[in-house]
Amino acid sequence: MTTPDLPTQYAPADVETRSYERWVAEGYFTADVGGGGEPYSIVLPPPNVTGVLHIGHALDHSIQDVLIRRARMRGHQTLWLPGMDHAGIATQNVVERELAKQGLSRHDLGREAFVERVWQWKEESGGRILGQMAKLGDSVDWTRERFTMDDGLSRAVQTIFKHLFDDGLIYRAERIINWCPRCLTALSDIEVDHSDDEGELISIRYGEGDASIVVATTRAETMLGDTAVAVHPSDERYAHLVGTMVELPLTGRMIPVVADEHVDPSFGTGAVKVTPAHDPNDFEIGRRHGLPSLTIMDERAVVTAHGPFQGLDRFEARPAVVAALRAEGRIVAEKRPYLHAVGHCSRCKTVVEPRLSLQWFVNVQPLAKAAGDAVRDGRTRVHPPELAKRYFDWVDDMHDWCISRQLWWGHRIPVWYGPEGEVLCVGPDEEPPPGYTQDPDVLDTWFSSALWPFSTLGWPERTPELERFYPTTVLVTGYDILFFWVARMMMFGLYAMDGETPFRTVALHGMVRDQFGKKMSKSFGNVVDPLDWIERYGADATRFTLLRGASPGSDVAISEDWAAGSRNFCNKIWNATRFALLNGATVASPLPAPGDLTVADRWILSRLHTVIGAVDTAYEDFEFAKISDQLYHFAWDEVCDWYVELAKIQIAEGGDRAERTRVVLGHVLDALLRLLHPLMPFVTEELWRALTARPSVVVASWPALDASYADPAAEREIVAVQELITEVRRFRSDQGLKPGQRVAARLSLDGSALAAHEGAMRTLLRLDAPGPTFSATARLAVGTSAVELDTAGAIDVAAERKRLDKDLAAARKEAAQVAAKLANEQFMAKAPDDVVTKVRARAAQADADIARLEAQLAALPTG
RNA sequence: GGGCGCUUAGCUCAGCGGUAGAGCACUCGCCUUACAAGCGAGGGGUCACUGGUUCGAACCCAGUAGCGCCCACCA
């Protein structure tokens, strides 16, 4: 047994990097594909190479690390696979911004040089992220780190694209898509954020006299591209106009009035201008009625239509068009401000422009159906279950997925076009014929992320990793990307892996917020940088703070104070172990037989196993807050506050008692450190090694629940001791007796089991044997046990009277309440027996308390 | 416009049918030799509101108000 000279305060920085490097060097985190144990695998949701890890990542990683570390301790063959995402548009934007600082655009560099530049950036940024993961303590298998654009994953992308293409699930079509006029690319629905923006609803008269019709719009400039007006088929107001032509103002063009079910007769005037090239609904109306599509804006949303508006940006064109219409007396009404939902590019916040263009799509119908069914029939469990509904809403009503992006950073679409317009999808080992040119676009970044659970394991090759670790055991991620990402992994996983789901369980956590429940944002200045906390409070405290707030699917509020509290907890564990080491606690000897243990020993062992059971249960439900809470209170309130104090007394006895106490103490701390290790890997490693002289708690076994340690009698007895001690302490505090001041006392423990604790109680309460005379006494009782204190005339009668009065009032109130219950016939008739028994016991207790308190009050000296 | 959730101590939350809890903050007393990043004691809540079910409701049901989140092609 080594007893290193531990400092009195835990200094995280001293141990963290040292431990981490050793863990990696020892290969503790490396999955052994051929090894024993049930597989337990997690793929890390790959952070974007853009930027650095934020506190939300710290939560996400902490949860996964907790799960994987516990699984490792339980003897599973674990794999936690790390990696990063190339994050197409996000990364390209970041690098473009860097270039802009030098006054360059990506076009100045050219495609090849630009992509090279992004790769450089990826190397730097990626390295930073890996360093952060090490600081957090992530026990990932570094030998299997992947990147969504590495060779293997690119091959997987190309392979699945080819399969989908050949199955007719990928197609190219001219559709209205979301277009970002700043990024100059198509966006999928989920890359568009909607917000209620202020606009102006303008009513415009088309046509003249009886043949005129009033339409309402928030986007007046698009009228230049109108090719019809639509009304509801059953709208009698306009029945006479359907089939006729009206004149489109400013252009002189004649456009038809058509009848379409989509129009809501109760909104506005009940008549809708139809711009098929610039509105998704209008596009559908146009298609149904064979209307032409007239594109009036270019890719930068600059008006290209002939006339005075040509060359104006859409936001300049709008007032210009309105002014021109007003000049012609066409404006019938204006409503301002008018709030309506407007889509913004999720990357650059530019207002998205619906745009008619030729893009690649995935036909999601069959894939989404399978993805829904897998959760519906329980092959994949969503946790918490309430969130499954959101998942269903999404997959059951999913639009086809636009996967082409007019970007340079990403997986190039593996389709080549021949000189005669041939279209050829090229597989990973195929070469396109000469004279063919490749599609210039790249794939949506989520396309490669969707393959992550199997592409990282070697797919399309049937590697041993894939065989062993797919489906992965659990996916841990925030509820915010339940459909961004999870639904897509489900779709592609089921498709590529012959109907096998990518994960058995999806465990969703919430977002990290500040102490007031506010979202963290740079502009608000409430962002927490995990590295900052790690530096000041340690990685363990940072993790513990996050985990303490982590209930399935709910947001986590954190603050500086709580980080400090967690740091204090680390310190508490540190000092408890330090005490144990200084007092010769040992794990070398087996636990003595129960008959050789004291009540206190049996109590703490009973509590330990209760906690093991509770923690194991909480793990089943991913209740990290409960796990943390259980261990926190057991460690602090029971082990430190009571058992350590009782152990001091037992050790002072010397002999066998001391020896056995050292064994129990060593045993309890050993188990506690192992239970805490997944949550706080660094401090537990340092302490466990010191305590056990073994190499690493990382590969120690998880404490096994042993119900034979359950000892309700010991628990009751210690609780009674605690209550009596608390009562006496309260008296001392109320009386203003200094903690160290010794008081003479007679203990009336009724010859009950508590009599055995007299010595301990005298020590903990600083009570001496009674002196020969009593000038003033106080009798304190809990249940049938009592302590009589001789305060040598120093008793503060007023304080004591106040205290007793208060207790008496409480007891009387309790007695009245309970009596009312017992007098209630219906309660007596209908309440279950155990409830009635409890109430009776409370009544008896209350009566006894009243009698006792009244006697004490009567015995108080007057004046 | 749909859907979901929340409202419990100053703050963040747990409890989800039988005596209102935790952490932090607050008050008082203590350097009681593992720990002052600590120890002991204490104060603080008509569990949003209104009805209903029940012997009994913070907990179940209905409605009201406020807050939040997600989804959405009503011009």
Side-chain angles (χ1 to χ4, degrees):
Chain A
M1 160 72 56
T2 55
T3 48
D5 201 17
L6 297 182
T8 59
Q9 280 196 356
Y10 172 51
D14 290 352
V15 302
E16 289 182 358
T17 50
R18 190 166 71 218
S19 284
Y20 195 82
E21 281 163 17
R22 191 169 47 81
W23 290 335
V24 173
E26 292 289 337
Y28 292 150
F29 304 159
T30 307
D32 177 5
V33 185
E38 281 289 299
Y40 190 106
S41 54
I42 299 178
V43 289
L44 178 82
N48 290 353
V49 283
T50 322
V52 293
L53 300 187
H54 53 68
I55 195 78
H57 289 111
L59 170 67
D60 189 53
H61 291 213
S62 296
I63 289 174
Q64 292 172 67
D65 198 40
V66 166
L67 293 174
I68 215 82
R69 282 182 186 269
R70 173 167 176 266
R72 192 179 291 121
M73 293 175 79
R74 295 178 87 201
H76 284 104
Q77 184 50 251
T78 56
L79 167 64
W80 185 16
L81 190 146
M84 279 176 278
D85 196 302
H86 70 280
I89 189 170
T91 308
Q92 172 161 332
N93 279 354
V94 169
V95 176
E96 282 190 282
R97 272 202 294 278
E98 293 287 310
L99 283 176
K101 286 179 193 161
Q102 306 162 37
L104 295 171
S105 81
R106 70 184 209 244
H107 300 282
D108 295 326
L109 296 188
R111 183 163 189 153
E112 212 171 307
F114 177 77
V115 168
E116 185 52 40
R117 186 70 175 259
V118 183
W119 273 105
Q120 277 173 24
W121 203 84
K122 180 260 166 189
E123 292 307 322
E124 296 164 25
S125 180
R128 266 201 303 278
I129 291 172
L130 302 184
Q132 288 183 302
M133 289 172 61
K135 287 213 176 247
L136 275 169
D138 291 356
S139 64
V140 292
D141 183 349
W142 291 111
T143 68
R144 290 184 169 83
E145 184 201 340
R146 303 305 297 263
F147 179 57
T148 50
M149 289 228 312
D150 67 27
D151 290 343
L153 268 62
S154 298
R155 188 181 171 80
V157 166
Q158 209 173 341
T159 303
I160 199 163
F161 189 100
K162 174 99 172 118
H163 287 173
L164 288 163
F165 185 89
D166 291 346
D167 283 348
L169 293 173
I170 283 184
Y171 63 93
R172 193 155 83 131
E174 186 161 64
R175 291 276 182 81
I176 292 265
I177 43 84
N178 303 298
W179 179 266
C180 176
R182 198 213 64 87
C183 301
L184 299 179
T185 180
L187 302 173
S188 65
D189 292 344
I190 57 174
E191 289 168 305
V192 177
D193 299 331
H194 293 269
S195 61
D196 276 340
D197 290 4
E198 227 174 73
E200 186 177 15
L201 187 68
I202 298 181
S203 301
I204 310 168
R205 179 181 305 279
Y206 286 11
E208 298 295 340
D210 289 347
S212 76
I213 188 163
V214 175
V215 300
T217 182
T218 53
R219 307 195 51 206
E221 74 282 7
T222 62
M223 59 87 56
L224 300 171
D226 283 4
T227 55
V229 171
V231 298
H232 193 86
S234 60
D235 194 334
E236 294 181 1
R237 291 172 295 177
Y238 302 117
H240 64 290
L241 289 174
V242 173
T244 68
M245 305 291 275
V246 296
E247 189 194 340
L248 184 67
L250 306 182
T251 67
R253 276 192 288 119
M254 297 301 286
I255 58 174
V257 177
V258 301
D260 194 280
E261 294 281 347
H262 173 264
V263 180
D264 175 1
S266 66
F267 184 90
T269 59
V272 183
K273 59 190 278 303
V274 181
T275 324
H278 295 281
D279 183 280
N281 294 311
D282 295 5
F283 181 76
E284 292 304 319
I285 294 175
R287 177 186 270 183
R288 285 194 284 273
H289 299 276
L291 301 171
S293 292
L294 206 59
T295 298
I296 59 145
M297 276 184 254
D298 67 10
E299 73 275 9
R300 293 178 192 276
V302 171
V303 174
T304 55
H306 294 297
F309 309 108
Q310 188 173 1
L312 293 181
D313 174 78
R314 54 185 165 162
F315 297 120
E316 298 164 357
R318 190 170 303 164
V321 167
V322 171
L325 289 168
R326 184 172 290 118
E328 289 195 8
R330 293 289 183 168
I331 306 293
V332 177
E334 295 168 78
K335 191 170 165 189
R336 189 172 44 177
Y338 178 72
L339 281 185
H340 63 132
V342 176
H344 298 260
C345 172
S346 64
R347 283 298 152 196
C348 72
K349 307 302 167 204
T350 302
V351 173
V352 163
E353 189 63 38
R355 183 161 203 261
L356 186 61
S357 72
L358 190 59
Q359 303 285 349
W360 287 95
F361 294 87
V362 174
N363 171 6
V364 298
Q365 301 318 318
L367 302 169
K369 169 86 169 64
D373 289 345
V375 174
R376 235 169 245 121
D377 64 25
R379 276 176 293 152
T380 291
R381 197 166 59 103
V382 172
H383 206 87
E386 306 90 79
L387 285 174
K389 191 181 178 321
R390 281 197 201 173
Y391 173 86
F392 293 135
D393 287 348
W394 171 259
V395 295
D396 292 348
D397 186 29
M398 196 174 171
H399 296 354
D400 278 3
W401 174 15
C402 177
I403 52 170
S404 44
R405 296 289 181 277
Q406 288 65 53
L407 303 170
W408 288 352
W409 175 243
H411 296 279
R412 190 102 173 238
I413 289 176
V415 173
W416 297 66
Y417 305 106
E420 308 296 324
E422 300 95 327
V423 175
L424 187 67
C425 181
V426 174
D429 296 315
E430 299 165 5
E431 285 293 325
Y436 275 59
T437 53
Q438 189 170 8
D439 192 301
D441 291 351
V442 300
L443 289 165
D444 180 4
T445 188
W446 295 100
F447 191 92
S448 55
S449 332
L451 316 181
W452 190 249
F454 50 96
S455 62
T456 53
L457 295 172
W459 189 91
E461 255 48 75
R462 281 275 158 192
T463 59
E465 282 86 353
L466 191 64
E467 296 292 344
R468 188 158 173 81
F469 292 116
Y470 189 98
T472 61
T473 310
V474 56
L475 176 82
V476 176
T477 193
Y479 60 70
D480 56 329
I481 53 175
L482 182 58
F483 16 80
F484 272 58
W485 188 43
V486 177
R488 285 173 178 176
M489 284 192 287
M490 290 291 286
M491 293 196 308
F492 280 4
L494 291 160
Y495 175 77
M497 294 296 294
D498 307 315
E500 272 216 83
T501 64
F503 8 78
R504 304 209 183 284
T505 300
V506 176
L508 298 162
H509 60 249
M511 307 294 111
V512 179
R513 292 167 178 278
D514 75 7
Q515 60 193 310
F516 305 113
K518 282 220 160 33
K519 224 170 161 172
M520 290 192 177
S521 74
K522 279 180 191 156
S523 56
F524 204 73
N526 61 349
V527 175
V528 170
D529 174 4
L531 283 189
D532 176 44
W533 275 21
I534 289 171
E535 211 169 283
R536 292 185 300 135
Y537 302 108
D540 291 326
T542 302
R543 293 164 61 118
F544 196 72
T545 302
L546 293 164
L547 291 163
R548 270 186 106 175
S551 288
S554 52
D555 291 344
V556 181
I558 58 166
S559 79
E560 192 91 21
D561 284 345
W562 305 359
S566 300
R567 187 256 333 255
N568 295 354
F569 180 54
C570 292
N571 193 235
K572 193 72 184 173
I573 300 299
W574 178 269
N575 275 293
T577 310
R578 184 163 166 270
F579 168 83
L581 289 169
L582 292 171
N583 285 278
T586 177
V587 295
S589 318
L591 273 178
D596 290 333
L597 295 174
T598 64
V599 176
D601 295 334
R602 284 186 276 121
W603 162 74
I604 198 67
L605 291 170
S606 177
R607 290 293 309 139
L608 169 65
H609 282 271
T610 302
V611 168
I612 292 173
V615 165
D616 282 342
T617 302
Y619 266 110
E620 295 302 310
D621 297 326
F622 303 99
E623 291 277 9
F624 302 101
K626 283 188 183 150
I627 295 164
S628 315
D629 205 52
Q630 284 282 337
L631 292 171
Y632 180 93
H633 284 112
F634 174 67
W636 202 312
D637 301 348
E638 302 193 281
V639 175
C640 292
D641 286 353
W642 288 99
Y643 187 69
V644 164
E645 296 306 320
L646 294 168
K648 284 177 185 171
I649 296 162
Q650 296 187 171
I651 287 170
E653 279 184 42
D656 283 352
R657 176 88 303 127
E659 222 25 68
R660 289 173 190 145
T661 302
R662 291 187 179 105
V663 174
V664 174
L665 187 60
H667 180 90
V668 169
L669 277 173
D670 165 32
L672 179 61
L673 290 170
R674 282 185 285 149
L675 290 166
L676 283 170
H677 175 255
L679 311 166
M680 323 195 315
F682 295 108
V683 68
T684 50
E685 171 76 337
E686 191 77 1
L687 295 174
W688 195 79
R689 279 160 53 91
L691 181 72
T692 67
R694 287 163 61 191
S696 178
V697 69
V698 174
V699 289
S701 65
W702 182 253
L705 176 62
D706 183 344
S708 70
Y709 284 106
D711 193 336
E715 293 200 22
R716 274 195 303 273
E717 202 170 313
I718 294 297
V719 166
V721 169
Q722 289 173 340
E723 285 177 353
L724 192 49
I725 287 178
T726 298
E727 184 66 14
V728 176
R729 282 175 176 163
R730 193 176 145 219
F731 172 81
R732 294 187 56 130
S733 181
D734 288 345
Q735 286 293 316
L737 292 166
K738 303 295 178 199
Q741 188 173 334
R742 303 200 69 87
V743 174
R746 180 160 52 221
L747 271 60
S748 321
L749 300 173
D750 291 302
S752 77
L754 294 199
H757 302 286
E758 176 163 351
M761 288 172 60
R762 284 192 182 282
T763 305
L764 293 176
L765 291 166
R766 274 148 236 286
L767 301 180
D768 288 329
T773 58
F774 290 82
S775 50
T777 63
R779 189 171 195 280
L780 307 164
V782 169
T784 57
S785 304
V787 178
E788 208 163 277
L789 298 169
D790 176 358
T791 56
I795 190 165
D796 178 340
V797 175
E800 182 62 357
R801 184 179 301 280
K802 192 175 155 198
R803 193 178 80 92
L804 294 174
D805 278 340
K806 198 181 133 205
D807 286 1
L808 184 58
R812 283 188 173 136
K813 188 178 165 195
E814 167 78 355
Q817 269 176 8
V818 173
K821 276 213 160 183
L822 291 173
N824 183 326
E825 282 172 36
Q826 297 206 314
F827 170 76
M828 296 306 285
K830 296 191 179 178
D833 288 347
D834 59 317
V835 173
V836 175
T837 308
K838 265 194 217 164
V839 172
R840 286 219 169 91
R842 280 169 56 194
Q845 180 68 55
D847 289 344
D849 287 347
I850 290 169
R852 192 195 85 228
L853 290 163
E854 283 174 346
Q856 284 179 243
L857 273 166
L860 272 184
T862 49

